[in-house]
Amino acid sequence: MPRLALYTFGVLKSPLADPAPLTRELHDRGEVVYRAIGGQPGYLAHAEAADGGRGTHFELDWGAWGEFAVPAWYGRGRTAETTALAATLSLWTGLRPAFRAVHSGPHREALNRRHDWFERTGHPAHVCWWAADGGTPTWQDGVSRLEHLHAHGPAPHAFTFHHAFAPDGTPTRATDAGPRGDRGR
């Protein structure tokens, strides 16, 4: 049974190493948001460094999630001093559970403040796709799907919560995704 993969990417207004007060606030909220998301129905897993390591996203061993990658349009740094990004990669049982988790609780509060923390790039901030059962999507999968979404718009290959597709490729909505959108989960 396919599972929903969700990749998010944003460019921060200041580097992680020397953040402005508002960016520090986002960073400090991260643990609360991850804990809340991890407890949501339908949540399966998210990319974590294999060794629980420290360092920039680019230096970490992500295990089965693959080497960390960013969209071609990311023009900020890749060192500890210059990295200015926030990225997530997660797996869900379906579209509706992921939508509900992202649009409620601490994550919803963070979404409401996103313009305080992130640059407006003109690129999508998230992309969804149906991943094969048993496989683990990689960071590169997320990047290529996000770039495809930006270049071609929503399609069964790469879509958003607001322009979603069921596993069989038919259009659906995250807010009322029933048996086709999340296989009833």
Side-chain angles (χ1 to χ4, degrees), residues 8-164:
T8 67
F9 186 83
V11 179
L12 296 171
K13 289 183 175 181
S14 65
L16 291 169
D18 186 27
L22 284 173
T23 304
R24 171 56 59 197
E25 181 183 1
L26 169 70
H27 186 268
D28 292 346
R29 285 182 177 218
E31 187 175 326
V32 171
V33 171
Y34 269 115
R35 205 174 6 203
I37 290 283
Q40 293 291 317
Y43 168 83
L44 296 171
H46 73 271
E48 294 183 272
D51 59 2
R54 295 191 155 321
T56 70
H57 294 76
F58 300 96
E59 299 167 342
L60 299 175
D61 175 4
W62 293 95
W65 301 93
E67 184 177 335
F68 188 74
V70 295
W73 48 264
Y74 172 71
R76 295 290 201 95
R78 295 172 183 249
T79 67
E81 296 78 31
T82 61
T83 298
L85 63 87
T88 66
L89 180 57
S90 57
L91 273 172
W92 298 84
T93 58
L95 187 60
R96 188 185 321 191
F99 179 84
R100 285 181 181 159
V102 167
H103 290 90
S104 66
H107 195 273
R108 176 75 225 168
E109 294 168 14
L111 277 178
N112 289 340
R113 303 261 330 269
R114 67 188 174 272
H115 298 301
D116 292 340
W117 302 314
F118 294 98
E119 292 181 357
R120 295 178 190 221
T121 65
H123 295 269
H126 79 280
V127 65
C128 302
W129 70 97
W130 294 102
D133 192 27
T136 302
T138 66
W139 289 108
Q140 186 56 53
D141 293 335
V143 167
S144 67
R145 304 275 179 152
L146 190 72
E147 290 174 340
H148 186 276
L149 175 65
H150 179 69
H152 305 286
H157 178 75
F159 53 90
T160 67
F161 286 126
H162 299 293
H163 295 94

